[in-house]
């Protein structure tokens, strides 16, 4: 079973202020450059009716809601995390194995407690829905299937407050008509490539010669696509720890207290670190520095951002600020410098999940 909390950040906002429930609610990541710069994190379903959705610029959201009484709020991660933690505890208590994927989504293996029976699994989902609704007052959608891949796609069938069950017998008919990009890991580029080869639906992909797929996409991806299109997926539900921080460290050419030299090195580190962030599509909320001094003591400083960021400029700005402050407080030379970003926010988790999938295979 895959469970995904409905319009999560916006639903959390409605939870603590029910008066906004009947209006469009938009939760945004404000970049702080100008009043309206930034992107929509998520929006409630009323706002979605006006074409407001995750990822669009805030000014565009404002434009689409022009003349409509609506509510715009900045993301408040700490609060969403506390709500999420409580709900995840409930989910966990109903599963044989439990795997949280990001702040609002989790896989529950219920095979044993449902005795392998899909009707029983559906009853379990209903019980969890009732419990979460009564104790936390949050709704979610659930997909149930013979494996994680099907459960995930099933969950998207009906939202919000959906419950979709796909039994093994239904898998083929369920998958066949879907566009290829509904499979985890098929993005716009891959979909275009597949279309060029005459594959538009998952059914087309399922029938496509696997050797040809491998020739085009490489062995790992080719086999993955072939299996996925045929509903085959044997990834277990397992507790996984995600990376909590990413860091880089380097030794300076000379021991120094010169800010220019330190920033020169740290900006190289930042550029390299930022490449990894971009690849993993991670946004961060903490930036930190480490200084190893000539007497080998380790000093660190860090800062929490007002809102999540994904840009190199922000890293460099905060790193500079932290080193300036640090140098003002310490009089020893610095030998090695390190930088760190942490408290990640997912943006495009599907791509990340796929990466994880290949790494774990
Ligand atoms: P989703 O589950 O993708 O979206 P959702 O819960 O808002 O809506 P749905 O009812 O379709 O499940 O993401 C969970 C949260 O992650 C979302 O509430 C806000 C955040 N998020 C972003 O900050 N940026 C994004 O681009 C996306 C997709 C989500
Ligand atoms: Mg959600």
């Amino acid at each position: 079973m895959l469970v995904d909390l409905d319009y999560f950040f916006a639903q959390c906002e409605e939870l603590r202020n029910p008066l906004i429930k009947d209006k469009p609610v938009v939760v945004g990541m404000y970049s702080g450059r100008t009043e309206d710069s930034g992107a929509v994190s998520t929006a409630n379903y009323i706002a979605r009716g006006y074409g407001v959705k995750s990822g669009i610029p805030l000014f565009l959201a404002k434009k689409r809601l022009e003349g409509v009484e609506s509510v715009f709020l900045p993301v408040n991660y700490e609060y969403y995390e506390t709500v999420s933690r409580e709900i995840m505890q409930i989910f966990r208590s109903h599963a044989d194995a439990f795997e949280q994927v990001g702040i609002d989504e989790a896989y529950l293996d219920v095979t044993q407690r449902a005795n392998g029976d899909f009707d029983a699994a559906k009853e379990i989902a209903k019980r969890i829905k009732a419990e979460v609704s009564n104790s936390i007052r949050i709704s979610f959608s659930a997909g149930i299937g013979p494996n994680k891949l099907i459960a995930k796609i099933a969950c998207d069938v009906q939202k919000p407050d959906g419950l979709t069950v796909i039994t093994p017998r239904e898998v083929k008919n369920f998958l066949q008509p879907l566009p290829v990009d509904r499979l985890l890991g098929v993005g716009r580029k891959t979909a275009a490539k597949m279309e060029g080869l005459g594959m538009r639906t998952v059914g087309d992909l399922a029938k496509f010669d696997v050797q040809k797929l491998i020739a085009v996409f490489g062995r790992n991806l080719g086999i993955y696509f072939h299996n996925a299109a045929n509903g085959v997926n044997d990834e277990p539900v397992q507790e996984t720890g995600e990376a909590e921080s990413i860091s880089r460290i380097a030794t300076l050419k000379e021991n120094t207290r010169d800010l220019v030299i330190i920033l020169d090195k740290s900006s190289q580190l930042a550029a390299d670190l930022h490449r990894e962030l971009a690849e993993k599509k991670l946004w961060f909320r903490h930036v930190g520095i480490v200084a190893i001094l000539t007497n080998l003591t380790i000093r660190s400083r860090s800062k929490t951002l007002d809102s999540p960021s994904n840009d190199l400029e922000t890293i460099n700005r905060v790193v500079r600020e932290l080193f300036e402050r640090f140098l003002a407080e310490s009089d020893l030379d610095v030998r090695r410098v390190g930088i760190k970003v942490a408290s990640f926010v997912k943006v495009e988790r599907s791509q990340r999940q796929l990466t994880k999938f290949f790494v774990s295979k």
Side-chain angles (χ1 to χ4, degrees):
M1 184 187 309
L2 183 276
V3 290
D4 183 335
L5 306 173
D6 297 324
Y7 64 102
F8 183 50
F9 294 1
Q11 200 182 174
C12 287
E13 297 296 347
E14 291 179 356
L15 181 67
R16 63 174 165 183
N17 183 6
L19 293 175
I20 63 177
K21 234 180 145 84
D22 301 327
K23 299 173 196 157
V25 176
V26 182
V27 177
M29 286 201 211
Y30 290 82
S31 71
R33 294 228 177 79
T34 65
E35 197 187 325
D36 278 347
S37 64
V40 171
S41 213
T42 194
N44 68 359
Y45 280 77
I46 303 177
R48 289 181 198 196
Y50 291 89
V52 175
K53 56 182 183 182
S54 296
I56 70 167
L58 281 165
F59 73 83
L60 185 57
K62 290 235 158 105
K63 212 165 109 189
R64 292 194 173 153
L65 287 167
E66 213 168 307
V68 186
E69 198 191 330
S70 40
V71 181
F72 280 75
L73 296 162
V75 286
N76 187 323
Y77 246 89
E78 253 95 307
Y79 166 56
Y80 311 143
E81 261 160 7
T82 56
V83 178
S84 164
R85 251 194 301 276
E86 278 185 66
I87 301 173
M88 291 298 162
Q89 259 170 40
I90 297 177
F91 287 149
R92 190 187 298 266
S93 73
H94 288 276
D96 309 327
F98 176 81
E99 177 182 348
Q100 189 175 341
V101 193
I103 195 169
D104 88 324
E105 195 176 316
Y107 288 99
L108 282 64
D109 189 344
V110 295
T111 313
Q112 279 176 27
R113 61 188 66 205
N115 242 324
D117 182 79
F118 282 79
D119 288 328
K122 189 171 184 177
E123 289 311 310
I124 292 172
K126 284 186 185 162
R127 275 205 298 279
I128 307 174
K129 270 174 179 279
E131 188 176 338
V132 172
S133 162
N134 289 333
S135 60
I136 325 260
R137 308 219 164 270
I138 284 274
S139 74
F140 66 88
S141 298
I144 297 174
N147 57 49
K148 285 165 76 173
L149 176 101
I150 304 296
K152 165 85 180 155
I153 303 175
C155 181
D156 285 335
V157 169
Q158 203 203 329
K159 275 180 163 189
D161 200 18
L163 173 50
T164 305
V165 183
I166 304 296
T167 64
R169 259 199 295 157
E170 294 163 334
V171 166
K172 200 171 165 201
N173 286 339
F174 172 63
L175 285 181
Q176 254 178 358
L178 300 176
V180 286
D181 65 6
R182 292 292 291 279
L183 295 176
L184 196 61
V186 180
R188 215 180 308 142
K189 275 193 216 148
T190 307
K193 229 183 210 178
M194 288 178 175
E195 176 135 33
L197 295 165
M199 296 173 273
R200 205 183 51 77
T201 65
V202 176
D204 299 334
L205 177 59
K207 279 184 300 205
F208 201 83
D209 182 65
V210 65
Q211 292 308 327
K212 280 190 200 150
L213 273 184
I214 291 173
V216 178
F217 295 103
R219 193 167 175 79
N220 273 346
L221 266 180
I223 292 175
Y224 166 75
F225 289 148
H226 176 77
N227 284 338
N230 285 286
V232 174
N233 168 241
D234 58 5
E235 243 190 303
V237 173
Q238 57 190 0
E239 301 269 350
T240 46
E242 291 194 45
E244 290 186 341
S245 67
I246 298 180
S247 58
R248 294 287 186 276
I249 192 158
T251 305
L252 297 168
K253 278 209 198 78
E254 52 189 306
N255 297 342
T256 184
R257 289 180 36 77
D258 185 338
L259 183 65
V260 176
I261 297 177
I262 290 173
L263 291 182
D264 183 52
K265 181 50 89 183
S266 65
S267 68
Q268 289 167 22
L269 298 176
D272 187 51
L273 184 153
H274 185 258
R275 264 191 294 277
E276 183 175 342
L277 286 176
E279 220 168 79
K280 296 184 173 167
K281 301 206 161 60
L282 294 173
W283 290 56
F284 53 86
R285 281 193 305 131
H286 280 101
V287 178
I289 59 159
V290 177
I292 296 167
L293 307 177
T294 38
N295 65 0
L296 298 183
T297 56
I298 302 173
R299 293 283 149 73
S300 59
R301 297 278 187 280
S302 70
K303 183 180 170 170
T304 304
L305 308 175
D306 295 332
S307 63
S309 166
N310 71 343
D311 62 52
L312 180 56
E313 225 181 288
T314 305
I315 303 178
N316 281 323
R317 180 172 48 76
V318 178
V319 164
R320 179 187 187 99
E321 202 179 294
L322 294 171
F323 271 120
E324 273 172 356
R325 213 180 313 151
F326 171 75
L327 289 171
E329 291 162 4
S330 155
D331 45 18
L332 280 174
D333 280 358
V334 179
R335 198 177 122 83
R336 306 184 75 203
V337 293
I339 60 170
K340 179 174 104 172
V341 294
S343 300
F344 296 126
V345 174
K346 100 197 133 186
V347 168
E348 214 179 286
R349 73 187 145 208
S350 57
Q351 200 56 43
R352 249 170 72 219
Q353 252 176 310
L354 186 68
T355 318
K356 196 180 81 194
F357 172 76
F358 285 124
V359 168
S360 67
K361 286 268 137 161

